Amino acid sequence: MTPARRALPFVLLAVAVLLIGVVTRSGRSEGKPLDPRSTGPLGARALVLLLGRFDADVLLIGGVPPKGAVAVLLQDQLNENETVALEGWVRDGGTLVVTDPLSSFAPTVGGSSVDLFDPATEDRDLLRPRCALEAVSRVGRIRVSGAAPFRPRAGQIGCFPLQGGSYLLARAEGEGTVVALGGAGPFVNEQLDEEDNAVLAVSLMAPTPGTVVDIVQPSVVGGGRKSLRQLVPRRVKDGLWELLIAFGLFALWRARRLGKPVLEPQPVQIAGSELVVAVGNLLHHGRRREPAAAMLRSSLRRTLSEGLGVPADAPSDVLAAAASARAGVDPATVEAALDERPPLDDAALVRLAQSVESLRNEVIHAR
């Protein structure tokens, strides 16, 4: 296989990775429609840049807009709590520009059979203000597409006649103002530079330099200000505390209790004397005089060592001298008892046992 053919799979893999990166990047740049961060044809990134060119401070954060700002609702995706909060903010003196005709902030959609449009152009997408609203006084005409007309009511100001209704309606809401438009078409990236669409955007959203413009965004998962502990319901917390207390009580019940010892059945204990007799009988029946004598001498040596304070492995004459000096015992008797020679018969073993017992008593009772 040639080097070129060996390198072909790696080249194809690199090309595939590059294509995936390009497609992913282009998908991210397009974004969602009316997204203020999207640079696609239906995005609203150009609107943000336009307002920034006119010294507006554009905010893209969620929550209630700051006091004195102009709130822009391009697409109403707010939940009930966010809608109530925004309504309260408007009544307290805020200005809201909403471009979603289906929003709860927008008036009733519907025109009449009379269709007014610009006869000079015969283009139904071109609209003129034809109203005395100061905010649109500098707008000549705008281009819209797929817009919905609003039905004006008493106390509302309608501009840009469209299909017997108005594309724009302004109304007072408490101490604030709501400006509703029948669609966000003029403010998307591909139409913002047509006719006077940009003029309308600046006139409504940033009428003076330094205006704070808050493009209202819906809440996203993880974007709230509450901690995880605050999001846990009170009942769940109470249940967890109850489980913790129950576990503590169970642990105390199963733990070691410091009190009166509990009597438990013990194995059968054999008295020491009975054990000695049993061992002696076994040795007697087996004619094992030498092991029996060794056990007697070992017991005597241990008694002398403990009673006289002499090492247990001391020579027999040392133990005999100590016993004679402290207990008045005949040294010859001690040496004879500790003699390692085996007994010749049972009588000699009995005499050895008697001698060992006598010496033990003398040493134990000696002062």
Side-chain angles (χ1 to χ4, degrees), residues 107-195:
T108 304
V109 176
S112 63
S113 58
V114 180
D115 188 5
L116 298 178
F117 58 94
D118 193 343
T121 61
E122 294 292 334
D123 192 342
R124 297 176 182 270
D125 291 339
L126 292 177
L127 304 179
R128 295 183 180 276
R130 296 179 180 175
C131 67
L133 191 64
E134 179 65 23
V136 298
S137 59
R138 293 178 296 176
V139 179
R141 63 181 184 180
I142 61 174
R143 179 178 293 278
V144 299
S145 59
F150 293 127
R151 185 180 304 167
R153 294 185 179 180
Q156 298 178 348
I157 302 176
C159 295
F160 302 99
L162 174 66
Q163 300 177 9
S166 297
Y167 169 72
L168 183 150
L169 277 182
R171 73 178 190 274
E173 189 73 27
E175 297 181 2
T177 304
V178 176
V179 180
L181 295 95
F187 307 132
V188 298
N189 295 333
E190 66 177 359
Q191 293 188 20
L192 185 63
D193 61 343
E194 296 185 10
E195 303 297 335

Side-chain angles (χ1 to χ4, degrees), residues 35-209:
D35 185 355
R37 301 175 181 85
S38 172
T39 58
L42 299 181
R45 178 61 179 170
L47 176 64
V48 176
L49 298 177
L50 174 67
L51 297 176
R53 290 288 300 272
F54 284 84
D55 297 330
D57 187 8
V58 183
L59 305 179
L60 301 178
I61 58 177
V64 180
K67 188 175 181 180
V70 175
V72 179
L73 187 59
L74 298 176
Q75 191 174 15
D76 193 349
Q77 296 178 340
L78 306 179
N79 57 37
E80 183 177 356
N81 294 333
E82 294 169 338
T83 300
V84 172
L86 188 58
E87 288 177 352
W89 176 82
V90 173
R91 292 193 187 96
D92 290 340
T95 300
L96 173 64
V97 178
V98 54
T99 63
D100 189 348
L102 301 180
S103 171
S104 60
F105 295 96
T108 304
V109 176
S112 63
S113 58
V114 180
D115 188 5
L116 298 178
F117 58 94
D118 193 343
T121 61
E122 294 292 334
D123 192 342
R124 297 176 182 270
D125 291 339
L126 292 177
L127 304 179
R128 295 183 180 276
R130 296 179 180 175
C131 67
L133 191 64
E134 179 65 23
V136 298
S137 59
R138 293 178 296 176
V139 179
R141 63 181 184 180
I142 61 174
R143 179 178 293 278
V144 299
S145 59
F150 293 127
R151 185 180 304 167
R153 294 185 179 180
Q156 298 178 348
I157 302 176
C159 295
F160 302 99
L162 174 66
Q163 300 177 9
S166 297
Y167 169 72
L168 183 150
L169 277 182
R171 73 178 190 274
E173 189 73 27
E175 297 181 2
T177 304
V178 176
V179 180
L181 295 95
F187 307 132
V188 298
N189 295 333
E190 66 177 359
Q191 293 188 20
L192 185 63
D193 61 343
E194 296 185 10
E195 303 297 335
D196 289 342
N197 292 353
V199 178
L200 177 63
V202 175
S203 300
L204 294 178
M205 304 174 190
T208 58

